[in-house]
Amino acid sequence: LANNLDEQLAKLRCRVNYHGLRFTKPIRKLGQELGMKTRKMSNRFIAIHLRFEPDMLAFSGCYYGGGDKERNQLAEIRKRWETLP
């Protein structure tokens, strides 16, 4: 049912899912410690996002603002799952 929502409800579902995700306390603590150690070492550092995979994007059913090219790519990936409508 989640993949058959009208566009506004789909956007709301994606926003709620995004804001509902929280790391566990040990992971948050480790992240804070890494951040503080990095800041102590230098006032400049680079942050990277690890593993924002296309299949994860497709399975989420959400749209991430990449235009028609992204929509078409995600639609092709979604076709691989027989369980998705």
Side-chain angles (χ1 to χ4, degrees):
L1 293 174
N3 291 315
N4 292 325
L5 297 173
D6 70 55
E7 187 176 349
Q8 293 303 314
L9 286 175
K11 286 180 182 180
L12 177 62
R13 179 184 61 87
C14 290
R15 176 172 254 158
V16 168
N17 287 344
Y18 175 79
H19 289 287
L21 294 173
R22 298 284 182 262
F23 288 114
T24 61
K25 286 184 181 182
I27 292 174
R28 286 195 309 256
K29 182 180 177 192
L30 177 62
Q32 289 172 341
E33 289 173 4
L34 286 172
M36 287 188 296
K37 285 180 183 181
T38 302
R39 286 187 188 104
K40 286 180 183 177
M41 293 171 54
S42 174
N43 61 354
R44 296 181 185 176
F45 63 94
I46 296 174
I48 60 171
H49 187 291
L50 302 174
R51 307 221 29 161
F52 203 59
E53 299 290 334
D55 59 336
M56 181 274 305
L57 298 176
F59 195 75
S60 75
C62 296
Y63 171 64
Y64 294 89
D68 289 336
K69 181 178 179 182
E70 178 187 276
R71 287 183 195 267
N72 293 333
Q73 289 174 335
L74 295 178
E76 287 300 315
I77 294 170
R78 288 179 182 126
K79 289 178 184 177
R80 297 178 195 162
W81 283 290
E82 295 177 11
T83 56
L84 291 177

